Amino acid sequence: MSKSYFQFKQFGIKQDHCAMKVGTDGVLLGALAGNEKAKNMLEIGVGTGVVSLMIAQRFGSMKITGVELDQDAYNQALENARNSPWWNRISFYHQDFQSFSKEVSEKFDLIVSNPPYFPNHLKSADTKRNLALHNDSLSFDDLLDGVESLLLEKGKFWVILPSKEMRLLERKALSKNLHAEWQLLVKDRESKPAIREIQVFSFEMVEKSTESLVMKNENGEYTLAYSGLLKEFLLIF
């Protein structure tokens, strides 16, 4: 692969104008989020478009909507979607999520996000990367306000974050009546702490269940669980 392009088995991602390239977070979210019952999905912050395209590949009749604030990322995600086999089911909008959530009348049974999460992190000189990583432009409060407004009563909200930030989001979500119902702890090695968490939130109060995904064995080889999850997408499996 090159830095400017990432080839999947059924589609390609141009990413030379995107601050955040294709990475493990988005790929895991795209491989896991949703189920066959969901008919329409919203992605908050589409970036390259990889999450939406992976979900489009998995669910053949799902209508997919995405919103992206950065102009260059939006343009590239739109190009990636139009070059995919599922272009006719995907609509991306160049807009901030706060205004989008107030203006759109449609509600969604699946909402996904790989959100910015550094509130007080030392910023780099790369303004586009700052926009993708730092939540100045989309705080957790604004994110959850929009999700509360746009999620259907029986809908699910999927999100991936580091553990510390996930605890904060989980606490704030309760004030919006959004309850964590499933948690996946993502580990690089079994002996290491989780590097990311994926959680599913809904308006239903249920006991949260927890699972783990270990990406590599102690010898550095990918585990069967990880390769099995991504074998329909990544060329290396």
Side-chain angles (χ1 to χ4, degrees), residues 5-236:
Y5 189 80
F6 194 104
Q7 182 63 50
F8 288 81
K9 288 184 176 179
Q10 294 191 37
F11 63 94
I13 293 288
K14 292 182 180 180
Q15 54 182 2
D16 53 309
H17 296 301
C18 292
M20 299 303 295
K21 312 302 182 187
V22 171
T24 302
D25 290 13
V27 169
L28 285 174
L29 191 62
L32 286 165
N35 57 49
E36 295 286 353
K37 295 179 181 179
K39 301 303 180 186
N40 64 336
M41 185 200 90
L42 171 67
E43 183 181 6
I44 304 167
V46 299
T48 63
V50 62
V51 175
S52 285
L53 287 168
M54 289 179 71
I55 292 175
Q57 177 182 327
R58 289 170 55 215
F59 305 113
S61 61
M62 186 182 291
K63 176 188 172 187
I64 292 173
T65 301
V67 59
E68 172 58 51
L69 176 60
D70 181 75
Q71 179 73 64
D72 288 338
Y74 163 76
N75 289 341
Q76 195 137 64
L78 196 61
E79 182 182 9
N80 291 331
R82 286 173 175 170
N83 289 333
S84 78
W86 315 288
W87 61 270
N88 59 330
R89 294 191 282 116
I90 300 174
S91 300
F92 291 152
Y93 296 91
H94 175 228
Q95 193 174 6
D96 65 273
F97 179 59
Q98 292 91 329
S99 60
F100 177 87
S101 64
K102 291 179 174 66
E103 295 169 9
V104 70
S105 57
E106 183 177 11
K107 292 203 173 191
F108 302 87
D109 45 20
L110 173 62
I111 299 178
V112 302
S113 187
N114 177 12
Y117 52 80
F118 287 132
N120 298 302
H121 194 268
L122 181 63
K123 293 186 177 181
S124 73
D126 187 338
T127 55
K128 289 185 178 296
R129 189 169 175 83
N130 287 335
L131 186 66
L133 282 175
H134 298 264
N135 66 8
D136 303 43
S137 59
L138 182 62
S139 68
F140 284 173
D141 289 307
D142 288 346
L143 174 68
L144 292 166
D145 281 343
V147 170
E148 181 189 26
S149 172
L150 297 178
L151 190 65
L152 285 167
E153 183 181 357
K154 300 293 185 181
K156 309 292 183 184
F157 171 46
W158 287 68
V159 62
I160 185 166
L161 284 168
S163 296
K164 179 182 176 182
E165 286 71 24
M166 189 66 85
R167 299 288 78 76
L168 175 61
L169 184 74
E170 199 171 2
R171 290 195 298 271
K172 288 179 175 291
L174 286 175
S175 68
K176 307 297 179 185
N177 239 358
L178 288 163
H179 307 275
E181 62 177 43
W182 183 76
Q183 172 188 53
L184 181 71
L185 304 177
V186 181
K187 299 181 177 183
D188 184 63
R189 305 285 203 284
E190 180 65 55
S191 59
K192 303 291 185 181
I195 56 173
R196 290 292 186 273
E197 292 183 20
I198 295 175
Q199 285 206 163
V200 181
F201 293 86
S202 74
F203 294 121
E204 300 178 80
M205 291 186 65
V206 296
E207 185 175 352
K208 182 173 73 175
S209 60
T210 300
E211 298 179 39
S212 295
L213 175 67
V214 179
M215 295 191 294
K216 295 177 183 177
N217 298 319
E218 295 302 327
N219 61 9
E221 296 176 347
Y222 289 113
T223 63
L224 289 177
Y226 185 73
S227 60
L229 178 65
L230 299 177
K231 67 180 180 179
E232 298 301 318
F233 303 101
L234 299 186
L235 295 172
I236 60 172

